[in-house]
Amino acid sequence: MVTLPRLVIAATRSGDGKTTVATGIMAALRARGLRVSPHKVGPDYIDPSYHAAACGVPGRNLDPWLVGEDLVAPLLRHGAQGADIAVIEGVMGLFDGAAGRGDYASTAHVARLAGAPVVLVVGAAGTSRSIAAIVHGFAGWDPSVRLAGVVLNQVSSPRHETVLREALAPAGIPVLGALPRDAALRTPSRHLGLVPAGERAESVQAWLPALRELVTRHLDLDLLMGIARSAPELSAEPWSAGTGNSAKPPRTLIAVATGPAFTFGYAEHDELLTAAGADVVTFDPLAAERLPEGTDALVVGGGFPEVHVDRLSANTALRDQVRQRAAAGMPIVAECAGLLWLGGALDERPQCAVLPARARMTGKLTLGYREATAVRDTPLMAAGTRVRAHEFHHTVSEPSCGPSGDRGPGPGPAWELADGTRHGWAGPSLLASYLHLHWAGVPHAAARLVRAARAARAAQRAAP
């Protein structure tokens, strides 16, 4: 059993400002000298980038769909080791879960699994006494979720705050404070939500102090810490990436694409690769003309290649090397943005041409959780492996998958979804698709990739 002060920052709906409030709280607590462990409910990569900027440690995701209910508390404990408090930002509205599955994978679901009290952010613009009915409804909807406090956001004036507090007083739920409408609270957005912090590092570092001061001035942080300390003890053991085998030479070098075009990734992936015996080296495809020296395998996650397509296309030296190494059998795992970069073109700009596919931006958002079965053996998993994943993009890649024949010499389809459709590209040394996985929920995936990288290196050295 361990005592971990923790709380969930939830909201009544998307747009109430929970990311801004959660990030401001994290920054304010860190300014007090506390070690803050930041977490995000759901699969989102962007909000954790702001949490990381505020806390100085990686933002981590808690998603029962991707990793299973049993791993939520262990992953929380793993990320929060040595921390004074864990702050968990929710997703959408408090009770909004996976479509058609009740509140599964919702903020409320994770709050129950983590045994964490909830602080509700309520957008107060355009309302007064009616806010009491909103809070009363959220507090009573699910008795197993403890609504321990309220933050009022988008408050227009001191008089407005007074009216709101008077309305909420009979509910008996503490109001931690009220944040005014302020330009310092705004963050830029585009087609997939907020612009990742990694793409605007300088402006984020200028934005955080103003946000921290607003939160410190307007919220009762002592009351917030009291709520966090009221969380019950956690019995779950911390998740572990593995025992590690760093003493077994030679180490395997796995290159991971990062930089402004490829900002999406889960911290646990690097930890799993390291535990499996890999040295993880990052590189920026916008700037690096070659893969890191000694690269044995390549991982390209999600991000926004469409925003940086001209610079990616102009980097012909790197594109040529990736194509040549792929043809020689170097293992490659690519998700979403990586799929686009490996294709022949993105918005008519040439890319790596590892895959015979062309991609383009569309006005349609593809978003949702997915269940899928691996059609072929890949560097990440064996054929027949069932996974849970998520998909989130504004692009289309055509053709969407390899030929229907599963035993041909070239890449074939990667996944068969629950509806029978097939997507992505797969082969013994390749996995590329729109699906995002959390490897903590796919046992042995990282170790399989490391083994594939070692085998490919040995085969290359043995070749004439």
Side-chain angles (χ1 to χ4, degrees):
M1 303 285 281
V2 65
T3 300
L4 172 64
R6 60 197 182 278
L7 52 80
V8 171
I9 307 297
T12 64
R13 59 186 175 178
S14 295
D16 276 353
K18 62 182 175 296
T19 299
T20 301
V21 173
T23 304
I25 287 172
M26 293 171 187
L29 293 176
R30 186 187 182 197
R32 284 188 163 195
L34 297 176
R35 293 165 296 179
V36 182
S37 179
H39 302 264
K40 170 69 180 180
V41 177
D44 175 53
Y45 298 100
I46 299 176
D47 295 349
S49 69
Y50 286 86
H51 301 168
C55 299
V57 297
R60 296 175 183 266
N61 295 69
L62 302 173
D63 190 325
W65 176 268
L66 294 181
V67 303
E69 293 179 305
D70 292 343
L71 279 186
V72 168
L75 284 169
L76 171 63
R77 280 209 57 195
H78 168 73
Q81 291 183 87
D84 299 306
I85 181 173
V87 178
I88 306 167
E89 183 197 337
V91 61
M92 298 190 294
L94 176 57
F95 300 107
D96 298 328
R101 297 177 181 268
D103 77 346
Y104 192 94
S106 68
T107 303
H109 186 197
V110 170
R112 293 193 298 266
L113 294 172
V118 173
V119 171
L120 188 69
V121 178
V122 184
T127 188
S128 57
R129 293 191 70 251
S130 294
I131 202 167
I134 296 171
V135 172
H136 175 77
F138 273 80
W141 182 257
D142 184 351
S144 66
V145 176
R146 179 186 161 212
L147 183 54
V150 173
V151 171
L152 304 172
N153 195 24
Q154 303 160 359
V155 177
S156 60
S157 66
R159 173 59 182 162
H160 188 201
E161 178 182 348
T162 299
V163 171
L164 296 170
R165 286 182 177 273
E166 289 174 350
L168 288 169
I173 299 173
V175 176
L176 279 69
L179 292 173
R181 295 176 182 173
D182 194 295
L185 300 179
R186 298 181 188 141
T187 53
S189 299
R190 61 175 178 231
H191 52 281
L192 292 183
L194 298 180
V195 176
E199 289 190 48
R200 48 186 297 263
E202 291 185 7
S203 59
V204 168
Q205 291 307 314
W207 168 75
L208 274 172
L211 175 61
R212 181 186 64 223
E213 292 306 314
L214 269 175
V215 166
T216 301
R217 186 164 67 251
H218 291 281
L219 298 190
D220 187 337
L221 295 178
D222 291 328
L223 177 55
L224 183 138
M225 284 300 303
I227 291 172
R229 293 188 179 111
S230 72
E233 291 184 331
L234 270 176
S235 59
E237 291 297 318
W239 174 83
S240 172
T243 57
N245 54 7
S246 58
K248 296 181 180 179
R251 300 284 291 182
T252 302
L253 195 150
I254 296 184
V256 177
T258 58
F262 300 98
T263 55
F264 294 0
Y266 296 128
E268 290 82 3
H269 291 194
D270 289 357
E271 294 168 350
L272 285 161
L273 290 170
T274 300
D279 289 327
V280 177
V281 178
T282 61
F283 73 104
D284 181 358
L286 295 178
E289 294 185 350
R290 296 188 61 81
L291 295 171
E293 187 66 30
T295 292
D296 297 308
L298 173 62
V299 176
V300 191
F304 294 93
E306 63 272 18
V307 177
H308 307 277
V309 64
D310 289 325
R311 292 179 62 191
L312 289 172
S313 183
N315 194 347
T316 55
L318 179 62
R319 292 197 289 111
D320 289 345
Q321 187 194 20
V322 169
R323 182 172 61 256
Q324 293 162 6
R325 291 294 308 275
M330 177 181 67
I332 300 177
V333 175
E335 294 182 345
C336 199
L339 167 73
L340 307 183
W341 187 52
L342 293 182
L346 171 57
D347 286 338
E348 303 302 323
R349 279 78 154 189
Q351 300 298 303
C352 293
V354 172
L355 306 172
R358 301 174 70 86
R360 55 185 169 82
M361 282 290 293
T362 73
K364 177 184 177 182
L365 173 63
T366 300
L367 169 66
Y369 285 126
R370 305 286 185 256
E371 291 181 285
T373 302
V375 176
R376 294 185 135 200
D377 290 341
T378 71
L380 205 61
M381 63 194 64
T385 303
R386 297 173 62 90
V387 300
R388 285 183 166 183
H390 74 100
E391 192 174 359
F392 188 34
H393 56 91
H394 259 287
T395 61
V396 61
S397 178
E398 298 169 327
S400 62
C401 65
S404 59
D406 292 346
R407 291 182 170 83
W415 304 108
E416 183 171 296
L417 302 188
D419 63 3
T421 60
R422 292 188 168 191
H423 293 272
W425 299 81
S429 61
L430 173 70
L431 174 59
S433 80
Y434 274 120
L435 298 192
H436 293 283
L437 305 176
H438 195 304
W439 294 358
V442 189
H444 315 305
R448 182 182 176 95
L449 177 57
V450 173
R451 290 195 301 270
R454 287 176 178 159
R457 179 176 58 191
Q460 183 178 18
R461 289 178 175 176

